[in-house]
């Protein structure tokens, strides 16, 4: 009887552990004609996806880059919605303005007009990577190679935080700025002090999206996707290293769908989070 109870207890513990793990199920793959997609942004009001396309070297000012639009089923709505950019990466939307990180400048697009209205140089920057906006319209942009976070307020750029190692993914959430700093996730307060929320990702973090209750999704460019819980514990959801890249993801919070740009595989893949 004692052994039976132990067996049942072990089974229940194991089952609860397994059921507690999040999982990804592939839903669709876009046509593989997107030239180096780096970032995906879900646009709730329009039910479409903005995708930044580098189409060339990630550091070269060649004017080949742009923004494409996908429908929610992955079909291509517009291959060349915005053109003439260089190596666009992170995207953020606020009050009909789309902010784009593009090497050493922040590009601003009026999405109603579908045109670039402003290009704002970021002095002393070399590799702007991700961008986010707070509730008041202040823009934050990361420079991965310079280990810096810059801010844009009223069209004026200034340094927000220095010595953030290999900083990439940014997200402003619940009065805090969250940043992927190498293999760590930082939570930065309004005094610019930080705590480490999670650490020990296998690779440096790339994309960052909140899923509620203090939890986050994190991608690492070489091919990893993690679920990060509010207590700092992490679950590896996907490991496709050597098969494809997993760059700066988008997320549909109501349907719990991830949109992963595959970079060198020239496509976007949608996954259901369970």
């Amino acid at each position: 009887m004692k052994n039976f109870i132990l067996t049942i207890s072990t089974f229940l513990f194991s089952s609860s552990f397994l059921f507690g793990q999040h999982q990804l199920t592939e839903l669709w793959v876009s046509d593989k004609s997107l030239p180096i997609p780096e970032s995906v942004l879900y646009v709730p009001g329009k039910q479409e996806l903005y995708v930044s396309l580098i189409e060339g070297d990630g550091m070269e000012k060649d004017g080949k880059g742009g923004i494409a639009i996908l429908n929610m089923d992955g079909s291509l709505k517009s291959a060349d919605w915005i053109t003439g950019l260089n190596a666009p990466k992170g995207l953020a939307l606020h009050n009909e303005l789309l902010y784009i990180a593009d090497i050493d400048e922040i590009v601003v697009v009026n999405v109603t007009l579908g045109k670039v209205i402003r290009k704002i140089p970021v002095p002393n920057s070399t590799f702007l990577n991700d961008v986010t906006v707070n509730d008041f319209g202040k823009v934050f942009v990361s420079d991965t190679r310079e280990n810096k976070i810059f801010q844009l307020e009223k069209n004026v750029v200034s340094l927000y935080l220095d010595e953030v190692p290999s900083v990439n993914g940014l997200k402003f959430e619940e009065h805090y700025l969250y940043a992927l700093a190498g293999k760590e996730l930082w939570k930065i307060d309004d005094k610019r002090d930080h705590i480490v929320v999670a650490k020990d990702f296998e690779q440096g973090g790339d994309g960052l999206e909140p899923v509620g209750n203090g939890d986050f999704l994190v991608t690492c460019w070489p091919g990893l996707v993690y679920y990060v819980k509010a207590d700092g514990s992490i679950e590896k959801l996907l490991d496709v290293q050597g098969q494809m890249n997993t760059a700066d993801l988008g997320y549909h919070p109501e349907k719990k769908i991830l949109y992963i740009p595959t970079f060198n595989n020239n496509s976007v893949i949608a996954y259901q989070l369970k």
Side-chain angles (χ1 to χ4, degrees):
M1 182 58 128
K2 181 178 180 181
N3 290 337
F4 174 77
I5 293 173
L6 287 173
T7 301
I8 290 295
S9 299
T10 302
F11 171 77
L12 290 173
F13 174 80
S14 301
S15 298
S16 63
F17 175 76
L18 289 171
F19 289 130
Q21 296 288 310
H22 295 83
Q23 296 180 335
L24 297 181
T25 302
E26 185 179 304
L27 298 178
W28 52 255
V29 181
S30 74
D31 183 76
K32 295 187 177 182
S33 62
L34 300 172
I36 311 184
E38 201 282 336
S39 181
V40 178
L41 179 67
Y42 165 61
V43 187
K46 298 185 178 182
Q47 290 298 302
E48 57 191 22
L49 304 170
Y50 294 157
V51 184
S52 63
L53 306 175
I54 293 177
E55 193 172 351
D57 189 286
M59 286 290 294
E60 188 174 349
K61 294 186 177 183
D62 53 15
K64 294 180 180 179
I67 308 296
I69 301 178
L70 296 182
N71 295 307
M72 298 307 296
D73 61 359
S75 59
L76 187 61
K77 182 174 183 177
S78 176
D80 54 1
W81 179 57
I82 300 295
T83 59
L85 306 183
N86 294 309
K89 299 178 181 69
L91 308 170
L93 186 63
H94 182 77
N95 288 346
E96 296 302 301
L97 295 179
L98 177 67
Y99 297 91
I100 307 165
D102 194 1
I103 301 181
D104 60 358
E105 61 186 6
I106 299 170
V107 178
V108 187
V109 170
N110 183 309
V111 298
T112 302
L113 300 176
K115 61 184 290 187
V116 174
I117 60 170
R118 196 173 297 116
K119 292 185 177 182
I120 304 170
V122 179
N124 303 312
S125 68
T126 57
F127 198 82
L128 300 181
N129 211 334
D130 199 17
V131 60
T132 190
V133 187
N134 72 8
D135 297 334
F136 304 103
K138 182 185 292 187
V139 179
F140 301 89
V141 61
S142 60
D143 188 321
T144 303
R145 295 193 176 181
E146 299 298 326
N147 305 315
K148 296 176 180 178
I149 299 174
F150 295 94
Q151 65 179 0
L152 172 67
E153 189 171 21
K154 297 179 180 179
N155 295 324
V156 177
V157 174
S158 60
L159 178 64
Y160 182 75
L161 196 61
D162 202 357
E163 298 182 0
V164 189
S166 301
V167 60
N168 193 340
L170 299 177
K171 188 63 64 173
F172 196 89
E173 180 76 2
E174 299 293 337
H175 311 296
Y176 290 94
L177 177 63
Y178 289 84
L180 288 170
K183 298 180 180 180
E184 298 180 342
L185 173 59
W186 288 14
K187 180 181 181 180
I188 305 166
D189 64 22
D190 58 4
K191 296 180 181 178
R192 307 185 193 190
D193 295 324
H194 79 274
I195 62 170
V196 176
V197 175
K199 59 182 181 179
D200 296 330
F201 303 118
E202 289 181 30
Q203 305 282 351
D206 191 329
L208 179 65
E209 284 291 337
V211 296
N213 300 318
D215 295 357
F216 284 88
L217 292 163
V218 169
T219 57
C220 301
W221 185 86
L224 293 162
V225 181
Y226 290 96
Y227 190 99
V228 179
K229 295 183 179 179
D231 64 4
S233 60
I234 62 176
E235 301 173 10
K236 187 191 294 185
L237 301 180
L238 189 69
D239 187 343
V240 288
Q241 296 178 93
Q243 303 171 45
M244 70 179 196
N245 304 116
T246 50
D248 185 9
L249 81 161
Y251 184 65
H252 190 314
E254 289 77 29
K255 293 188 177 181
K256 297 184 179 180
I257 298 176
L258 292 69
Y259 306 99
I260 306 289
T262 65
F263 206 80
N264 289 317
N265 279 29
N266 302 316
S267 63
V268 171
I269 302 181
Y271 292 94
Q272 181 71 63
L273 175 66
K274 297 181 179 180

